[in-house]
Amino acid sequence: MSEMVIETSNLTRRYGKKVSVNNVNLKVPKGSIYGFLGPNGAGKTTTIRMLLGLIRPTSGHIRIFNQDLSKHRMPILRRIGSLVESPSYYGHLSGYENLDVIARLLKVPSKRIDEVLGIVRLTPAAHQTVKGYSLGMKQRLGIAAALLGNPDLLILDEPTNGLDPAGIHEIRTLIKDMPKQHGITVVVSSHLLSEIDQMATHVGIIDHGHLLFQDSIEKLREQSSPKLFLQVDKPHEAKRLLQDAGFKVSIQGDNLQIPNSDLSVTEEINRQLVQAGISVYRISEQSRSLEDIFLDFVDKEGSL
Ligand SMILES: Nc1ncnc2c1ncn2[C@@H]1O[C@H](COP(=O)(O)OP(=O)(O)OP(=O)(O)O)[C@@H](O)[C@H]1O
Ligand SMILES: [Mg+2]
């Protein structure tokens, strides 16, 4: 059993009648990069705000670093760095000067400013004014600010929002280094699985306030079991024949689709079709992408 950095129990937040976060039991293992995924309005920011003590849960509990957040607020928050929504800066000050303002508040030595600028690769632009920074540079400055206090946990709410692929890549590279190089556990939210699938070790999928899936990224990948696609000359006849033989078959366009195939199944299906005088033009195997799996989870919830 690995140690958990964050553990919530039945975490719930209502706004009037609306339940924005509904009995969520998050488990974020120490040293993980936890991808917190969900479409717009799913409840990601609301959950993150509760983890950061910015809003109170309507009900439920939050434990961070094995302590109750409601009882040990300050010592816990001192160990967390965060980036929620687009951070605001003094545009007329340089990146360095902006960090200096925060460093003074946190009582962090000024050599830490150089360190965090180095980590987010902003050293060359340290003394340019922030109003001349690109969006990606501003996001990296936000991460630098989150790192100033030497956190054990970094919580980033959609840090790649609005960035181009190069900017997304930079942030991803940065986040990937955190657990190994800096001993930091990371929670990073996103509405695109493709954006975090290359860096996350663990995934939580939230929609309509419900946590629909939570496990390692490997466990999520296991769900993308391959399917068999068959192109035949008489699809409806073929479907009936295979169904009578006990296969689960659906028709997708001109293709027959059969889940969970293995080689012996493929052979058996092919033999039966050919014996019945059905021409098989093509047999192929396709796995669902992680994005498809993610959308499946989200769609199921939407149709409840
Ligand atoms: N202060 C508030 N008052 C009323 N409703 C709110 C408030 N904050 C959030 N909500 C509602 O709670 C739900 C979840 O919102 P939240 O911002 O947590 O979603 P999100 O997953 O962060 O979405 P996005 O990807 O758009 O940032 C939404 O339906 C939202 O309208
Ligand atoms: Mg949000």
Side-chain angles (χ1 to χ4, degrees):
M1 205 36 215
S2 52
E3 194 184 326
M4 295 299 155
V5 167
I6 302 176
E7 219 164 347
T8 71
S9 48
N10 298 322
L11 187 62
T12 300
R13 172 74 196 199
R14 289 172 201 274
Y15 288 106
K17 278 192 179 154
K18 189 177 166 57
V19 190
S20 296
V21 175
N22 200 338
N23 286 302
V24 164
N25 299 310
L26 282 186
K27 284 182 193 297
V28 177
K30 189 172 182 194
S32 63
I33 296 177
Y34 186 101
F36 192 35
L37 276 167
N40 291 136
K44 303 180 297 292
T45 301
T46 306
T47 303
I48 286 174
R49 285 183 170 281
M50 288 192 278
L51 297 178
L52 295 172
L54 298 170
I55 53 171
R56 275 177 198 283
T58 307
S59 57
H61 296 279
I62 300 173
R63 289 183 73 79
I64 303 183
F65 308 126
N66 264 320
Q67 291 177 308
D68 189 321
L69 180 64
S70 64
K71 296 197 185 100
H72 305 273
R73 206 179 124 88
M74 281 327 286
I76 290 174
L77 294 181
R78 230 175 267 138
R79 295 172 62 189
I80 305 179
S82 66
L83 181 64
V84 184
E85 255 113 64
S86 306
S88 47
Y89 301 106
Y90 300 108
H92 60 289
L93 297 183
S94 69
Y96 185 97
E97 287 163 335
N98 270 279
L99 292 179
D100 192 39
V101 172
I102 305 165
R104 282 167 200 271
L105 286 172
L106 294 176
K107 300 190 169 63
V108 169
S110 58
K111 76 169 195 328
R112 180 68 186 155
I113 301 173
D114 295 313
E115 282 171 17
V116 296
L117 282 167
I119 293 172
V120 302
R121 302 183 185 96
L122 273 180
T123 307
H127 298 290
Q128 288 172 27
T129 55
V130 166
K131 61 173 182 268
Y133 278 20
S134 69
L135 197 58
M137 289 163 81
K138 283 184 187 152
Q139 286 303 81
R140 281 187 281 148
L141 185 61
I143 295 177
L147 290 171
L148 266 178
N150 256 315
D152 295 309
L153 171 64
L154 198 56
I155 300 182
L156 308 172
D157 191 17
E158 308 219 31
T160 55
N161 227 359
L163 301 188
D164 63 13
I168 291 173
H169 181 78
E170 274 174 2
I171 301 280
R172 185 191 286 152
T173 312
L174 207 60
I175 291 173
K176 263 173 127 169
D177 283 348
M178 291 298 157
K180 272 197 204 101
Q181 291 194 9
H182 308 284
I184 301 173
T185 304
V186 186
V187 173
V188 51
S189 77
S190 176
H191 56 271
L192 292 172
L193 180 51
S194 56
E195 226 174 58
I196 63 143
D197 74 337
Q198 289 166 54
M199 61 175 166
T201 58
H202 291 74
V203 177
I205 297 178
I206 188 170
D207 194 21
H208 293 93
H210 295 278
L211 194 64
L212 304 173
F213 175 91
Q214 176 175 247
D215 214 319
S216 65
I217 190 116
E218 287 82 21
K219 283 274 156 40
L220 184 66
R221 290 214 168 94
E222 276 172 22
Q223 306 231 352
S224 64
S225 58
K227 282 186 180 142
L228 201 64
F229 287 85
L230 294 159
Q231 217 178 347
V232 297
D233 62 344
K234 290 170 244 170
H236 291 279
E237 198 178 311
K239 183 185 174 198
R240 230 173 299 124
L241 184 105
L242 292 174
Q243 274 177 336
D244 289 348
F247 294 103
K248 219 176 136 207
V249 188
S250 57
I251 294 191
Q252 222 189 36
D254 290 337
N255 285 313
L256 296 182
Q257 188 183 307
I258 299 159
N260 301 325
S261 66
D262 61 40
L263 279 178
S264 63
V265 170
T266 310
E267 189 194 353
E268 171 71 13
I269 286 170
N270 190 30
R271 200 169 45 78
Q272 292 213 15
L273 290 176
V274 173
Q275 271 177 5
I278 295 169
S279 302
V280 179
Y281 301 133
R282 184 161 38 183
I283 300 182
S284 61
E285 200 182 65
Q286 282 177 26
S287 301
R288 285 184 310 161
S289 70
L290 281 184
E291 202 63 46
D292 289 341
I293 302 167
F294 171 46
L295 289 174
D296 271 5
F297 273 113
V298 170
D299 283 344
K300 264 184 229 150
E301 175 65 15
S303 62
L304 280 182

